[in-house]
Amino acid sequence: MRSIWNGAISFGLVSIPIKLVNATESHSISFRQIHTEDGGRIRYRKVCELEDREVSSAEIGKGYEDADGTIIPITDEDLSHLPIPTAKTIEIVAFVPGDRIDPLQMDAAYYLQAGGAPAAKPYTLLREALKRSNKVAIAKYALRGRERLGMLRVVGDAIAMHGLLWPDEVRAPEGVAPDTDVTVREKELDLADALMDTLGEVDLDDLHDEYREAVEEVVAAKAAGETPPEAPSTPSGGKVLDLMAALEKSVRAAKESRGEATEAPDEADVSSLPERKTAGASPKQTGGKKSTSTAKKATAASGSARKSTAKTAKTAKSAQAAKKTTQSQSRSTAAKKTTTKKTAAKKTAAKKTTARKRTA
């Protein structure tokens, strides 16, 4: 990897020669501006506003724009006298636990490459010390003409450095969180936890930029003179899904994607978004109230109808139960009568038999 900065790590009285190399690279697809009529490239030219002519790089310097718009020229000689002790040194100033660093401060990432054989021993010493302490090193360094803040940590067998924003460069999150009182129920939290557990973890190496791949397909198709593939349709808006229903559906979908058994889904409560009122609808507010009143009456009538139907159903069930009971009792009484008759007949037959025997 090509180095972008050469210097040394200052670790107390220990100096470690290193080279700074980029730890990341961008794979995003960039486009050029073209003239839509003929496909010609559109380029920017550096023009002096006072002379209205294009100038070369050798004629361009630096200037600071004051609050009133005045440009104050600043030369390299003006800046050369400024004290930058970290111009060629990454100076470690402290060692702190890694969780003390707010991820919002993290900027570009670099690898620190040992600068030759003499740097091997002190480089390894610093790496192992960071490992054993479970800490990161906070350092100052200068890059591209200004002093910066950095954090050194161990990545594999190498030492990486993250550029950090200065604390006063991180904005406070004022006015970002919702300013309305919201109550989150325990059941909603339980469903959210269930969704998190169902989704589980992911191997970050399996994640990829699907948009970039789609753009590459479009470019390849256009280059081959073919019709670009159509993008899959996305669900249209206009409906508000109940939060609980959304969580439950998400849990079921996550389980199904993992091949796990799911319970029978309940229908989600879906309501349409209210239509926007136009300016011409203001004079019809009375009609709107009547409509609301009519809707309320219809709802009340519907509720009464449901109650009446329920009562009728209950009455019908009671009548059927009473009828079954009566029929059962009638059957029982008939059975008893039949049994009594049979018993009486048997007794009469027995008496007749006895009388015949005596007569004989």
Side-chain angles (χ1 to χ4, degrees):
M1 291 184 283
R2 186 173 63 88
S3 63
I4 60 174
W5 183 90
N6 294 339
I9 300 174
S10 175
F11 177 29
L13 297 178
V14 179
S15 181
I16 310 172
I18 57 97
K19 296 178 180 179
L20 195 69
V21 297
N22 286 316
T24 62
E25 58 186 1
S26 175
H27 291 163
S28 61
I29 298 176
S30 59
F31 296 100
R32 304 292 187 185
Q33 289 187 329
I34 62 171
H35 189 199
T36 55
E37 291 186 5
D38 54 20
R41 283 283 304 276
I42 302 297
R43 299 181 183 274
Y44 293 98
R45 303 180 186 275
K46 298 179 179 180
V47 177
C48 174
E49 294 181 351
L50 297 180
E51 299 182 11
D52 194 22
R53 69 176 181 88
E54 186 178 355
V55 296
S56 63
S57 299
E59 300 177 84
I60 299 174
K62 292 186 284 287
Y64 177 81
E65 185 174 2
D66 206 352
D68 60 358
T70 304
I71 300 296
I72 303 172
I74 301 294
T75 65
D76 291 339
E77 185 179 358
D78 296 331
L79 299 176
S80 64
H81 301 293
L82 298 179
I84 304 182
T86 55
K88 283 293 181 181
T89 304
I90 298 175
E91 181 183 355
I92 295 177
V93 296
F95 292 89
V96 300
D99 57 7
R100 286 269 305 276
I101 306 301
D102 190 338
L104 286 173
Q105 285 186 256
M106 290 189 181
D107 200 0
Y110 309 94
Y111 286 132
L112 304 182
Q113 181 182 3
K121 183 64 179 280
Y123 186 98
T124 304
L125 172 64
L126 176 59
R127 183 191 68 199
E128 295 304 313
L130 288 172
K131 278 185 180 179
R132 192 169 72 171
S133 65
N134 289 322
K135 293 183 177 181
V136 297
I138 303 301
K140 289 183 177 181
Y141 67 102
L143 185 65
R144 298 187 182 95
R146 70 182 185 91
E147 191 171 54
R148 302 166 187 263
L149 192 63
M151 177 190 75
L152 277 63
R153 69 183 184 95
V154 178
V155 177
D157 292 332
I159 298 175
M161 182 174 71
H162 294 269
L164 297 179
L165 300 175
W166 297 97
D168 60 356
E169 292 179 319
V170 179
R171 294 178 175 177
E174 296 178 357
V176 177
D179 57 357
T180 56
D181 293 333
V182 177
T183 301
V184 178
R185 293 178 292 172
E186 286 295 326
K187 188 175 181 182
E188 293 170 337
L189 283 174
D190 292 341
L191 279 172
D193 290 339
L195 178 58
M196 293 168 65
D197 293 338
T198 305
L199 290 176
E201 298 182 358
V202 66
D203 186 352
L204 296 180
D205 292 334
D206 294 337
L207 301 179
H208 55 94
D209 188 348
E210 297 180 8
Y211 178 77
R212 187 194 74 206
E213 293 174 355
V215 172
E216 289 174 347
E217 290 180 4
V218 171
V219 172
K222 297 275 286 186
E226 301 173 355
T227 303
E230 294 184 1
S233 59
T234 56
S236 58
K239 290 185 178 180
V240 178
L241 191 63
D242 177 65
L243 179 59
M244 290 292 292
L247 288 170
E248 290 171 353
K249 280 195 169 184
S250 299
V251 172
R252 285 196 299 271
K255 286 183 177 180
E256 289 173 358
S257 67
R258 292 174 175 269
E260 299 178 11
T262 58
E263 297 178 357
D266 297 329
E267 291 298 327
D269 295 331
V270 180
S271 57
S272 300
L273 287 172
E275 296 182 358
R276 295 181 179 177
K277 294 182 179 180
T278 57
S282 297
K284 297 182 180 180
Q285 290 180 351
T286 304
K289 290 181 179 179
K290 286 182 180 179
S291 177
T292 304
S293 176
T294 304
K296 289 182 178 179
K297 288 180 180 178
T299 303
S302 177
S304 299
R306 282 197 294 269
K307 290 181 180 179
S308 177
T309 303
K311 288 181 178 179
T312 303
K314 288 182 178 179
T315 303
K317 287 182 180 179
S318 300
Q320 289 177 358
K323 187 176 181 180
K324 288 181 180 179
T325 303
T326 302
Q327 290 176 351
S328 177
Q329 290 176 350
S330 300
R331 289 173 185 168
S332 178
T333 302
K336 287 180 180 179
K337 288 181 179 180
T338 302
T339 303
T340 302
K341 287 180 179 180
K342 287 182 179 179
T343 303
K346 287 181 180 179
K347 288 181 178 180
T348 303
K351 286 180 180 180
K352 288 180 178 181
T353 302
T354 305
R356 287 174 184 170
K357 287 181 178 178
R358 286 177 182 177
T359 303

